[in-house]
Amino acid sequence: MRRAVNSVLLITLITGLSFSYISIAEQQPVRKWKPIKDDGIHDPASSAIGVLQNPAEALSVLPPDTAGNQVNWVKALRDGHIKPRTHLNKQGKLERLDTDIIMEDTLEMPNVLFPHRAHTEWMDCASCHDHIFKSKAGATPVSMFDILQGKYCGRCHGAVSFPLTECDRCHSVGKKRKASK
Amino acid sequence: MNKQKNRLIDHIKYSVMIAALLVITFAPTGQVKAEFGDVVINNYSDKAGMPPVVFPHWFHRIRFRCKVCHGDLGFEFKAGGNDINMVKIIDGQYCGACHNGEIAWSIENCNICHSAPVGTPTQVHESTLQKLIKPDQNKTEDKK
């Protein structure tokens, strides 16, 4: 039984990886953004077409990435390519926190590293604490299933921040092999 | 024994999950719509005979931190979850905090916000969630 399950996993992975190989080979070199007029959510007959900026114009000059908006937003901000305001009317400061949280309840996957820094450069503590995450490492019952349903990290990742298919950006730190509990 | 069974179940769950994720990641790009993070807001527009609203995150996050809207202006992290209407906007709330002729152009430019085809449901475009669990719900979805 166990072997059967393992082989299902293996076959899935192999099929998936070969697909990904094909599409990586196809998409890697050029970044492309749909123009507003045929992006499928703007009415091609709307008078906004021609007024709204096409994503390619603004995004192609920002540091590249392979997923989401195809922009590395963390880098774009840190390197000063963009200077989004911290306040409605002025540029001020946000409280920044540099601590990383390591989350180890990840089964076979590498551990998750949550960087406070990248997040507090974009938002304040109240964006997450305490309505999404408790202010105590290990206190929030985060699981991948909930994340995939838009909770916890999935509140932002997958909707606005880099998508959930980028497993290794969150599951980014090796774990010392432990005896299974 | 029970522990082993649990791990077995985990295995099954993750085979399915990974399969689903790989399928959505690498599905033919012909179906790709909108820009990642674009939100359509349509709680009232259709019923009021206006085209639904498209809010582009990529455009706004170049200009403002998330905190400005989701902290200072009180936008909840939920497409369609803020019960926005024109009275509130004219009163300077939500979009109206900026689209007032001072920080950004003002509300007489109806069609620049109301730019989606009639009938487009409230949603976040290109979201992993949308692709994963609601592929068929795109037409009838009513987020509440």
Side-chain angles (χ1 to χ4, degrees):
Chain A
M1 180 61 179
R2 170 123 195 188
R3 276 181 62 188
V5 175
N6 270 330
S7 47
V8 170
L9 180 64
L10 203 67
I11 292 167
T12 322
L13 271 175
I14 292 170
T15 336
L17 286 176
S18 46
F19 268 122
S20 62
Y21 213 75
I22 297 166
S23 51
I24 285 168
E26 280 171 355
Q27 329 174 315
Q28 206 83 42
V30 230
R31 291 191 291 166
K32 274 198 186 137
W33 294 268
K34 291 234 157 175
I36 296 281
K37 71 173 163 45
D38 37 48
D39 71 356
I41 55 161
H42 289 91
D43 185 347
S46 166
S47 57
I49 308 291
V51 177
L52 294 175
Q53 186 180 34
N54 281 314
E57 188 186 290
L59 304 183
S60 59
V61 297
L62 299 179
D65 198 350
T66 50
N69 298 118
Q70 304 171 81
V71 167
N72 182 333
W73 289 107
V74 174
K75 194 168 190 301
L77 181 62
R78 268 185 208 159
D79 296 354
H81 295 275
I82 56 172
K83 296 185 179 60
R85 286 190 195 169
T86 55
H87 297 80
L88 199 52
N89 281 309
K90 60 170 178 122
Q91 194 63 273
K93 278 210 169 283
L94 291 185
E95 183 188 346
R96 207 179 90 192
L97 184 66
D98 284 352
T99 50
D100 291 338
I101 307 276
I102 306 284
M103 304 171 120
E104 301 185 312
D105 192 5
T106 56
L107 298 177
E108 287 85 355
M109 294 293 285
N111 287 339
V112 171
L113 187 152
F114 171 83
H116 266 105
R117 180 173 171 204
H119 292 87
T120 51
E121 285 167 344
W122 282 99
M123 52 193 108
D124 54 11
C125 317
S127 302
C128 292
H129 294 299
D130 285 331
H131 69 112
I132 305 181
F133 297 108
K134 304 224 167 80
S135 303
K136 183 165 184 297
T140 319
V142 185
S143 82
M144 204 58 221
F145 272 98
D146 286 341
I147 293 174
L148 283 161
Q149 291 179 53
K151 295 190 190 134
Y152 306 115
C153 322
R155 192 75 75 96
C156 299
H157 291 279
V160 176
S161 305
F162 69 75
L164 295 172
T165 38
E166 306 301 301
C167 317
D168 54 348
R169 296 193 196 181
C170 293
H171 293 275
S172 62
V173 286
K175 60 171 81 191
K176 297 210 186 75
R177 230 176 126 188
K178 285 187 196 154
S180 48
K181 286 177 252 171
Chain B
M1 213 44 223
N2 231 341
K3 286 264 161 70
Q4 264 208 341
K5 202 168 152 202
N6 280 342
R7 284 196 86 78
L8 193 68
I9 292 169
D10 283 336
H11 262 285
I12 298 170
K13 287 203 295 198
Y14 289 108
S15 312
V16 173
M17 187 171 89
I18 290 169
L21 280 165
L22 286 167
V23 168
I24 55 170
T25 321
F26 304 112
T29 44
Q31 304 164 352
V32 171
K33 279 177 149 200
E35 186 51 39
F36 185 79
D38 280 359
V39 177
V40 175
I41 311 176
N42 187 3
N43 290 324
Y44 303 110
S45 299
D46 263 1
K47 286 168 223 152
M50 285 296 285
V53 172
V54 180
F55 173 81
H57 266 101
W58 63 270
F59 184 95
H60 287 86
R61 74 183 291 187
I62 290 175
R63 292 159 174 79
F64 299 93
R65 311 282 170 120
C66 322
K67 171 255 181 196
V68 174
C69 292
H70 292 291
D72 304 348
L73 300 179
F75 281 101
E76 296 287 336
F77 287 127
K78 190 166 182 359
N82 292 282
D83 202 29
I84 305 172
N85 63 39
M86 287 320 286
V87 172
K88 292 180 187 170
I89 291 178
I90 292 164
D91 184 42
Q93 300 175 49
Y94 299 113
C95 321
C98 298
H99 289 278
N100 54 10
E102 288 170 32
I103 293 172
W105 39 263
S106 77
I107 54 143
E108 66 260 14
N109 304 292
C110 316
N111 291 339
I112 301 184
C113 291
H114 291 274
S115 63
V118 172
T120 314
T122 297
Q123 62 197 289
V124 192
H125 271 265
E126 279 306 291
S127 77
T128 316
L129 183 64
Q130 185 198 0
K131 288 196 261 184
L132 188 64
I133 48 180
K134 300 186 196 142
D136 304 322
Q137 235 176 305
N138 284 357
K139 292 200 180 60
T140 51
E141 179 173 32
D142 183 14
K143 282 213 178 171
K144 268 287 140 68

